[in-house]
Amino acid sequence: VGSPTVNKGILFSVAGLLEMIEGLRFRNKNAASFGCYGWSGEAVKLINEKLTKSGFNMLNEGIKALWNPEDGDMERCVEFGKKICR
């Protein structure tokens, strides 16, 4: 699940989705988070907390990039995706 950090939070559409997911009571499912930020970068942490509360096993701490991802960030994101697919 991904979201940029907006006003020290996540996008309202992502928050709504996470709220719906929590009600489904998933168990023994894996999840990961990603996002970008400009100043503070709370979105990934908030998503992780919500997914953990919803019963997911977090694969890692998530990945985030400052502002728009640049070349090095894109490579990190590709590697992040490959690790999740294994």
Side-chain angles (χ1 to χ4, degrees):
V1 177
S3 175
T5 298
V6 179
N7 294 326
K8 297 183 182 178
I10 58 178
L11 293 175
F12 71 91
S13 56
V14 175
L17 177 65
L18 289 170
E19 189 67 27
M20 291 173 55
I21 286 173
E22 184 178 353
L24 295 174
R25 308 234 185 259
F26 284 103
R27 297 292 176 252
N28 301 316
K29 301 289 183 187
N30 295 325
S33 62
F34 62 94
C36 60
Y37 64 100
W39 303 110
S40 56
E42 289 94 347
V44 170
K45 179 183 172 195
L46 295 171
I47 292 169
N48 287 346
E49 290 171 356
K50 192 70 168 175
L51 288 171
T52 299
K53 183 180 176 187
S54 297
F56 285 87
N57 303 316
M58 299 308 295
L59 295 174
N60 52 43
E61 294 179 6
I63 190 170
K64 58 184 175 180
L66 180 63
W67 299 109
N68 294 321
E70 296 179 358
D71 291 340
D73 296 319
M74 296 302 286
E75 291 172 18
R76 284 187 321 121
C77 290
V78 168
E79 290 304 313
F80 179 79
K82 286 179 182 178
K83 287 179 184 175
I84 291 172
C85 292
R86 292 182 187 155

